[in-house]
Each structure stands twice: as structure tokens, then as C-alpha cells.
Amino acid sequence: MSINYIGEILPSLLSGLVMTLRIFFETIIFSLPLGIIVGLGLTSKSKILTSILSVYVWVVRGTPLLLQLIFVFYGFPILGITFPRFEAALIAFVVNYAAYFAEIFRGGIQAIDPGQYEAAKVLKLTHWQTLRKIIIPQVMKIVWPSIGNEVINLFKDSSLVYVIGLGDLLRAGNIAMSRDVTLVPLILVALIYLALIGICTLILKKIEAHFSYYR
């Protein structure tokens, strides 16, 4: 593995890494809050609301993310709605991951003892105060390991954006490999992914340790 060759391809790999990180962080920023909202909606007493949200979760979880990505970028223009490449990718990722997060949060919310809601009523807490001070901290403790798995999967799924022509880390490595007929770019891509996931895992463990306060 020549140091000079690594120096030549590193700028293009780092450029692809920027796109990978951008998809990752913006998806997390939008999909986690949306997942909490949809998760709360799935546990509401409104049958209409739960039916609509259940269909949304079923459709998203029942179809591949790659297909959803293609549909948003190539399918919506048929309906007269066109998104730039990055925005199309972000919409598909946010809609997909919010559905998975929603199911995780729904399970966490339903795991809370109903007696805690009754105790909050006795203390005359509002519904929002009950959620913010009692329910959500405990739910986060319960669901965080599952959330962590989805967050790590997001790093790997971000490589799917190649299908609509976005230049992510894996695509940069593939281009260099095809051009130079060597596996060195893909080895570097693998090392970068491992480093990213290693850092992400450490951060997730720190956050999980924080939630251990609620044991």
C-alpha cells in the first residue's frame, strides 16, 4: 500500500466522507424527534390517528430504503414534485428512520407501568409535564440500545445515496478502485467506516451510561 497513492486518493475519499456525515447527522436531527412524535401518536387513544400512523410505519418498514430513495427522487417528478438530489435523499432517510424509531419508542412507552400515569394525575401534573419529567426519561433508558443499533445502521445505509448520483464515501472509493484497478481505496473506505462506527459506539455508550441514572 503506497503512501503516495493514499495521499493521491485521500482528498476524494474525504470529500465523499463529508457527504456521508452530512446525510448521517441531518437524518438523526430530523428523524429522532419525528420518531418520538409518531411513537407517541401510535400509543394515543385516537383510533384514526393510530390507524394512519400504523399504515405509514407498515409501508416504510415493509419496503427497502433503496426503493424509497428511488421513488422520492425519480417517482415524485411524475407527480409534478421535484427535489434536488440531496434533499430527496434526506427526505427518504428521515421518513424511513423515523418509522423505525417510532416503533422503538412505541414499545418503550408501552413498557411504562400505567400506575405512573395515575400517580402523575394525583400529583396534578399536566400531560406534557408527565411525558417530559416522568415518561420520556424512562423511555429513553429502555430504548437507547435499540436506537443505538439503528444509528450505527444509518452509517452503513448512507452508502445507498449513490443510486441517485450523490458522491458519498463508498462511491468515491469505487471510482478510485475502478480507475486504478486496485483494492486499496476500498480498504481505506472500510477503515474509515470502522473508525466512524467505533467513535459512534463510544458516544452511544456514554449516553447509555447517562441514562443508567434512571435504574
Side-chain angles (χ1 to χ4, degrees):
M1 190 181 294
S2 164
I3 299 296
N4 289 337
Y5 178 67
I6 292 174
E8 288 174 12
I9 64 171
L10 205 51
S12 63
L13 295 183
L14 292 178
S15 175
L17 175 61
V18 170
M19 175 59 69
T20 296
L21 292 175
R22 195 177 165 197
I23 285 287
F24 175 81
F25 283 112
E26 294 194 23
T27 299
I28 291 293
I29 288 169
F30 292 110
S31 63
L32 260 180
L34 183 58
I36 294 174
I37 293 170
V38 175
L40 288 169
L42 286 168
T43 59
S44 79
K45 294 178 181 176
S46 169
K47 288 187 178 179
I48 296 175
L49 179 60
T50 55
S51 298
I52 292 170
L53 293 177
S54 295
V55 169
Y56 153 63
V57 171
W58 173 67
V59 170
V60 170
R61 295 178 72 201
T63 54
L65 174 56
L66 182 62
L67 183 62
Q68 295 160 18
L69 192 56
I70 293 170
F71 182 79
V72 172
F73 186 66
Y74 295 105
F76 274 23
I78 297 172
L79 305 174
I81 304 170
T82 302
F83 296 108
R85 293 178 195 277
F86 180 80
E87 283 74 7
L90 187 59
I91 289 169
F93 272 76
V94 169
V95 169
N96 181 281
Y97 271 84
Y100 283 91
F101 288 146
E103 272 296 279
I104 293 171
F105 283 116
R106 180 194 59 75
I109 293 167
Q110 291 178 336
I112 301 297
D113 187 340
Q116 297 200 25
Y117 291 94
E118 294 166 8
K121 279 184 181 177
V122 171
L123 294 172
K124 296 184 178 178
L125 295 180
T126 64
H127 182 63
W128 169 241
Q129 287 173 325
T130 304
L131 288 177
R132 186 169 59 86
K133 295 183 177 179
I134 298 176
I135 305 303
I136 290 180
Q138 295 181 78
V139 169
M140 291 303 293
K141 166 69 176 62
I142 294 169
V143 306
W144 194 252
S146 301
I147 293 289
N149 284 335
E150 291 299 326
V151 169
I152 288 172
N153 282 336
L154 175 57
F155 259 126
K156 293 177 281 188
D157 282 349
S158 64
S159 63
L160 295 175
V161 298
Y162 81 91
V163 76
I164 60 172
L166 285 175
D168 73 310
L169 176 59
L170 184 58
R171 189 181 187 205
N174 271 329
I175 291 171
M177 182 193 70
S178 303
R179 182 191 63 220
D180 304 328
V181 195
T182 170
L183 286 176
V184 171
L186 290 189
I187 293 172
L188 290 176
V189 167
L191 292 175
I192 293 172
Y193 269 115
L194 287 172
L196 288 174
I197 289 173
I199 293 169
C200 186
T201 301
L202 287 176
I203 294 172
L204 289 168
K205 283 185 177 178
K206 288 281 184 186
I207 298 173
E208 189 175 346
H210 169 74
F211 286 123
S212 65
Y213 171 81
Y214 296 100
R215 282 177 185 168

